[in-house]
Amino acid sequence: MSTNHDGGGDARDAALQAAVRGARRGFRRDVQALIHALEEGELLVPLAHSIADSQPDGVPLTDGLEMQPHLLIDPEDKLWCALFTSQELIEQAADELDWRTDGDAFEYVALPAEVALEMALRVIDEVEILGLVIDPLHDEELVLRRAELASLCSKKAIPLVGYVSQLPEQDFEKTLVAEDGDPPPQALTDALDACVDELGELRGWHLSRTFNPDRDLEPHLTLELVTNTADRRQLAERVFAKIEPTLPAPGYVDILFRELPN
């Protein structure tokens, strides 16, 4: 294997790997930590062709220098860029995927992390190439869509909604009640009133606009359902099914519960 990775930045590599793992929580603060680690770290790029032999349609890095990395193929035959945080992980992936460089021994190159991300951003079109996977095939791989990658490249931390939506609320989070703004659509309030009429266990509702800076991209609706039912999940699903077509942008709502006084 040939590589320009000198192994001298072990501490930086470990810090970047830890930041990638941490970003899988998806909180804005975790993405900010990743941005800081990227400033000093390196990422490894798997090469389909040696840099010296790259074809004219490769990814341009600098004037006169192009690179053709290996890409991942998902079950729907869509492509994903792949970058790695360590020699061990890139070699494991190369073995599992049978990657070669120009049909011969596998090669990779280490680039400043920010340069590697910009390279990936230039080729991701969300049609053929959907996004980026950092440390693919690892249990803690990080999957990024183009908008999320673009935010990293611009050093703007945004929550990774696909990850953070899977986590329960944490002690450090603070949900803020936003200004009222535009009133909710009449169709939405009519649908909620109809839910009260049709669902005996639902006794009332309250809508507000909230924003959690750690996990939300923008303010959104929060719906509080007044009920004493024990099967809250079923009630939430039934209400959401009725109101979903009437939800304004961004098209989702958090559902909370308030019990009736005894």
Side-chain angles (χ1 to χ4, degrees):
M1 173 182 294
S2 66
T3 173
N4 72 349
H5 191 51
D6 61 15
D10 290 346
R12 292 195 307 271
D13 293 347
L16 178 55
Q17 193 168 89
V20 168
R21 305 293 179 261
R24 284 172 49 85
R25 291 201 313 172
F27 291 117
R28 190 187 301 267
R29 63 184 62 196
D30 299 315
V31 177
Q32 186 63 61
L34 176 58
I35 289 172
H36 289 319
L38 290 167
E39 293 173 351
E40 299 294 331
E42 289 184 332
L43 288 168
L44 308 183
V45 185
L47 296 176
H49 296 281
S50 292
I51 292 178
D53 299 327
S54 288
Q55 304 301 310
D57 59 350
V59 181
L61 293 177
T62 60
D63 292 342
L65 179 62
E66 294 187 338
M67 179 179 298
Q68 288 184 302
H70 280 287
L71 297 174
L72 303 168
I73 304 177
D74 70 15
E76 298 180 354
D77 293 327
K78 299 296 185 180
L79 300 175
W80 295 75
C81 292
L83 296 170
F84 296 83
T85 59
S86 74
Q87 176 179 331
E88 177 185 6
L89 292 177
I90 197 171
E91 289 179 344
Q92 288 176 355
D95 287 343
E96 187 166 341
L97 297 171
D98 196 27
W99 278 343
R100 297 287 184 267
T101 303
D102 292 317
D104 204 342
F106 174 65
E107 299 177 10
Y108 60 88
V109 63
L111 295 177
E114 293 177 340
V115 173
L117 294 182
E118 289 283 358
M119 178 192 72
L121 183 63
R122 286 199 294 272
V123 301
I124 294 171
D125 57 10
E126 297 186 299
V127 178
E128 293 185 358
I129 303 179
L130 297 187
L132 168 67
V133 186
I134 301 179
D135 291 339
L137 307 185
H138 188 271
D139 289 342
E140 296 186 277
E141 67 182 17
L142 180 65
V143 179
L144 299 170
R145 290 288 185 165
R146 192 181 192 284
E148 296 165 338
L149 176 57
S151 75
L152 289 182
C153 291
S154 64
K155 299 187 178 183
K156 178 183 178 182
I158 63 172
L160 304 181
V161 177
Y163 286 106
V164 76
S165 62
Q166 305 301 314
L167 295 178
E169 188 163 332
Q170 308 293 302
D171 291 340
F172 60 77
E173 294 185 66
K174 294 182 179 180
T175 298
L176 309 174
V177 178
E179 295 181 2
D180 289 340
D182 296 331
Q186 185 66 44
L188 172 57
T189 57
D190 289 346
L192 286 168
D193 286 339
C195 286
V196 174
D197 292 338
E198 297 171 16
L199 306 176
E201 63 268 44
L202 179 62
R203 305 298 295 277
W205 56 268
H206 175 73
L207 273 176
S208 60
R209 282 166 44 87
T210 61
F211 178 69
N212 182 325
D214 266 305
R215 64 168 70 217
D216 293 334
L217 294 173
E218 58 185 311
H220 63 281
L221 289 175
T222 293
L223 171 63
E224 186 178 53
L225 302 179
V226 182
T227 180
N228 276 343
T229 182
D231 196 346
R232 294 180 171 185
R233 182 170 184 173
Q234 183 183 55
L235 176 61
E237 290 174 350
R238 294 172 70 187
V239 171
F240 182 77
K242 290 180 177 295
I243 68 173
E244 183 180 15
T246 69
L247 291 174
Y252 65 92
V253 61
D254 286 340
I255 298 180
L256 307 176
F257 291 90
R258 175 160 55 92
E259 290 188 2
L260 289 166
N262 292 326

